[in-house]
Amino acid sequence: VAPADQIPCGNDSISRQECERKGCCYELGGQASSCFYGLSGAVECTKDGHVLIVLTKKMTVPPLDLDSVHLLDEGPNCKPVNKTESFILFKIPFGTCGTTSRVAGSYVLYENEIIADRNIIRGPSGSITRDSTLRIHIQCRYMGRDSLPLNVQVFTLAPPLPVTEPGPLHLELRISKGESYGAYYHVSEYPVVKNLREPVFLEVRLLNRTDPSIVLMLDDCWATPTPNPLDKLMWKILVDGCPYTEDNYRTRLQNVDASGLKFPFHYKRFIVKTFAFVDSATEQPFKGQVYFHCSALVCHPSASEPCTMKCATVGSRRQRSVDLQMLEQQSRQAIVTSEGPVIFKENLENTIRIYPFSGAAAFVMILALCTVGIAVICKVKRQNQ
């Protein structure tokens, strides 16, 4: 530690043994010795009810911006008591600057946190930061009313959860047997007969993923008379993740019951009233099939992108985040198709049948690396089975 950066550790008469016991550096000088904090920093709970915290900018990579470091309470009496180019020292009396206390058995615990703010650069299509993340939780433990601290514990921020994993991303659109979404139709159970206007319980889910920090977001959902999701004849079901407002039997979004699901944010559910396509010239129902399709994206929550959708009530406008609007403009190709089509049978008045479809699941390939705080958009590659 350069002489200009040395912050004294203890008083002038401290012995070498005591200096090193505190985790500090001891140096013999020409006329006097010195004890100062080293490059690893230090935390000390004192007998007179203070906690000393020494941080160094080299605690993180890239180096920490010491001007960004502060306590939870940023009051005027909670500023650093000493600062050099490489070190910063806080001395916090218990009961001030956001310090909390609690009793745990025969112990009294005093706790506080130190945070480093990050400089976030915001642009027209996203936000970035190049600063390190620092969040330190400090705990001093005392035995009852004894003023002697037993120990000090420092809890650093855990590494962030992974945003993505390498490999294919699998989506599935399936039909539930009821509103509870407790059982689903299998290929052997088709055809399923439904009267017109009866509900069809649809679910889109993310398969084979164990990352709890990602959120499945629906973009658009629609129906076509063929397996081709780009068929010119189509009917909208969801637009921007919200029910299509021009439908007199509006699609109903369902909350996903987290019970029994390990990753509930990997699911989206909605209910469609059964319908059949009609020939615009003859006004007669088509005898063909109706397929359901959905485009989807995967989002990672952040301060600027909560990965939530607020659908408008009648007469008001839908709220959609800027980041998700940008992603939607970039790509609409993350598409998954239902397991089976709807068939309007001529010999069954006002009924439809649902048959299996060979492309039971669509496969989505991640084509770009994803970073924390930025939503992930994925493109689809159909694989016939």
Side-chain angles (χ1 to χ4, degrees):
V1 178
D5 276 338
Q6 293 179 5
I7 293 181
C9 176
N11 52 44
D12 295 337
S13 61
I14 189 171
S15 66
R16 178 169 186 165
Q17 183 180 8
E18 179 64 16
C19 176
E20 294 178 348
R21 188 193 66 79
K22 291 162 66 72
C24 297
C25 302
Y26 189 84
E27 186 175 65
L28 293 173
Q31 297 181 346
S33 60
S34 60
C35 180
F36 53 90
Y37 292 101
L39 294 177
S40 60
V43 179
E44 180 183 358
C45 302
T46 67
K47 299 177 183 179
D48 59 352
H50 289 77
V51 57
L52 294 176
I53 308 162
V54 180
L55 304 179
T56 171
K57 69 177 184 180
K58 294 185 178 181
M59 292 181 67
T60 62
V61 178
L64 185 64
D65 179 6
L66 295 180
D67 291 332
S68 70
V69 179
H70 61 88
L71 297 164
L72 283 177
D73 187 343
E74 299 185 69
N77 298 323
C78 304
K79 304 296 183 183
V81 297
N82 201 339
K83 183 181 176 185
T84 68
E85 184 179 342
S86 301
F87 292 86
I88 189 170
L89 168 65
F90 291 89
K91 185 176 182 180
I92 311 167
F94 293 155
T96 64
C97 302
T99 304
T100 62
S101 63
R102 59 188 176 92
V103 177
S106 57
Y107 302 109
V108 179
L109 306 180
Y110 296 92
E111 298 170 297
N112 207 326
E113 287 191 352
I114 287 185
I115 303 169
D117 294 328
R118 289 179 295 172
N119 180 30
I120 298 178
I121 305 169
R122 304 187 186 278
S125 300
S127 303
I128 66 169
T129 185
R130 292 186 172 91
D131 292 336
S132 300
T133 298
L134 179 76
R135 190 183 186 97
I136 299 177
H137 184 90
I138 299 163
Q139 181 187 94
C140 291
R141 185 174 65 161
Y142 291 79
M143 173 68 81
R145 297 182 179 181
D146 192 344
S147 61
L148 294 176
L150 293 178
N151 65 356
V152 58
Q153 292 184 347
V154 178
F155 307 91
T156 57
L157 182 68
L161 292 169
V163 179
T164 61
E165 297 173 354
L169 194 66
H170 301 266
L171 294 175
E172 182 183 25
L173 195 162
R174 56 183 182 168
I175 300 174
S176 169
K177 294 183 177 181
E179 194 168 359
S180 65
Y181 290 85
Y184 299 85
Y185 290 108
H186 298 285
V187 174
S188 60
E189 296 178 279
Y190 289 98
V192 176
V193 178
K194 291 275 188 179
N195 292 319
L196 292 175
R197 300 186 186 178
E198 277 193 319
V200 178
F201 305 99
L202 297 170
E203 176 187 87
V204 180
R205 64 171 179 162
L206 190 58
L207 300 177
N208 305 322
R209 285 290 160 171
T210 59
D211 188 345
S213 62
I214 58 175
V215 177
L216 177 65
M217 302 288 293
L218 292 182
D219 183 27
D220 292 345
C221 292
W222 64 100
T224 64
T226 70
N228 180 15
L230 303 180
D231 195 294
K232 292 187 293 184
L233 182 59
M234 56 86 69
W235 182 255
K236 297 178 182 179
I237 298 171
L238 297 178
V239 178
D240 292 342
C242 294
Y244 179 47
T245 57
E246 300 303 316
D247 195 330
N248 58 339
Y249 287 90
R250 193 172 298 184
T251 301
R252 181 154 56 96
L253 298 172
Q254 292 288 91
N255 292 326
V256 177
D257 185 1
S259 60
L261 297 178
K262 191 172 183 179
F263 305 108
F265 293 117
H266 295 186
Y267 293 76
K268 284 291 184 288
R269 293 169 176 171
F270 54 96
I271 302 175
V272 177
K273 291 296 182 69
T274 305
F275 62 89
F277 279 100
V278 174
D279 188 317
S280 58
T282 64
E283 296 187 352
Q284 295 298 314
F286 283 126
K287 300 178 182 179
Q289 306 165 341
V290 176
Y291 287 82
F292 293 107
H293 316 273
C294 284
S295 61
L297 56 90
V298 178
C299 180
H300 185 277
S302 67
S304 60
E305 177 50 69
C307 300
T308 58
M309 184 68 63
K310 294 183 179 180
C311 295
T313 56
V314 177
S316 63
R317 297 185 63 184
R318 171 175 62 252
Q319 295 184 13
R320 188 171 174 84
S321 73
V322 174
D323 287 349
L324 289 180
Q325 288 179 31
M326 179 269 293
L327 284 171
E328 180 191 59
Q329 293 166 3
Q330 288 179 346
S331 174
R332 286 177 175 268
Q333 299 183 36
I335 300 172
V336 63
T337 300
S338 60
E339 290 183 344
V342 173
I343 300 205
F344 188 86
K345 301 293 286 185
E346 190 174 27
N347 61 339
L348 290 174
E349 183 178 0
N350 291 338
T351 65
I352 61 172
R353 291 176 182 266
I354 302 174
Y355 288 93
F357 174 53
S358 60
F363 295 87
V364 181
M365 300 296 295
I366 298 179
L367 300 183
L369 293 178
C370 311
T371 56
V372 173
I374 300 178
V376 182
I377 189 72
C378 306
K379 291 188 176 181
V380 166
K381 179 179 179 182
R382 172 63 58 75
Q383 176 174 314
N384 292 328
Q385 297 182 345

